[in-house]
Amino acid sequence: MGSTRRSFSEEYKREAVGFVLAGGRSVAEVARNIGVHEMTLGRWVKKAKDSEEPAAPGDGPLGESERLELIRLREQAKNDKAAIAELQMQVEFAKKVATWFAKGKQ
């Protein structure tokens, strides 16, 4: 006895994958609804995700210039946080001094 293997058109596969990816439904749910084995649909979804190009320039792996820019921005953020902390400390000190002088005038 020979096994019968169903074949599906690329359009059918795309639509099924679209139900999962764009429809926000689970692979198992879509597979049950369309009568395809869950693992088969899972392979189609994985293949579609793997073949997609990054949606935005920042979605792919970082290039050398991007990596250097990221390092620079992180360093700058760290310096900015330190400067903000210093300014907040100065504001608190100024408030205490102003309160002390205000008490002296009364």
Side-chain angles (χ1 to χ4, degrees), residues 3-106:
S3 68
T4 57
R5 185 173 230 180
R6 297 189 319 181
S7 63
F8 302 97
S9 68
E10 289 301 316
E11 181 182 0
Y12 183 84
K13 292 177 185 179
R14 267 194 310 276
E15 286 184 30
V17 168
F19 288 138
V20 174
L21 298 179
R25 297 164 60 190
S26 70
V27 171
E29 180 184 355
V30 173
R32 273 192 309 273
N33 289 339
I34 65 173
V36 174
H37 194 275
E38 188 176 330
M39 289 184 70
T40 302
L41 180 58
R43 279 194 303 270
W44 296 348
V45 170
K46 183 179 181 333
K47 183 179 176 184
K49 284 182 180 179
D50 290 346
S51 67
E52 285 180 355
E53 293 181 21
D59 288 348
L62 295 179
E64 187 62 30
S65 64
E66 292 170 323
R67 185 165 302 166
L68 292 173
E69 178 71 5
L70 180 61
I71 291 168
R72 185 188 68 77
L73 290 172
R74 285 181 177 163
E75 186 66 32
Q76 182 181 350
K78 187 169 47 171
N79 293 339
D80 291 347
K81 285 180 184 178
I84 289 170
E86 176 70 25
L87 291 172
Q88 287 174 336
M89 201 167 61
Q90 290 176 7
V91 167
E92 290 300 316
F93 180 74
K95 284 181 184 178
K96 290 178 183 178
V97 170
T99 303
W100 186 78
F101 278 116
K103 287 181 184 176
K105 288 187 176 184
Q106 293 177 356

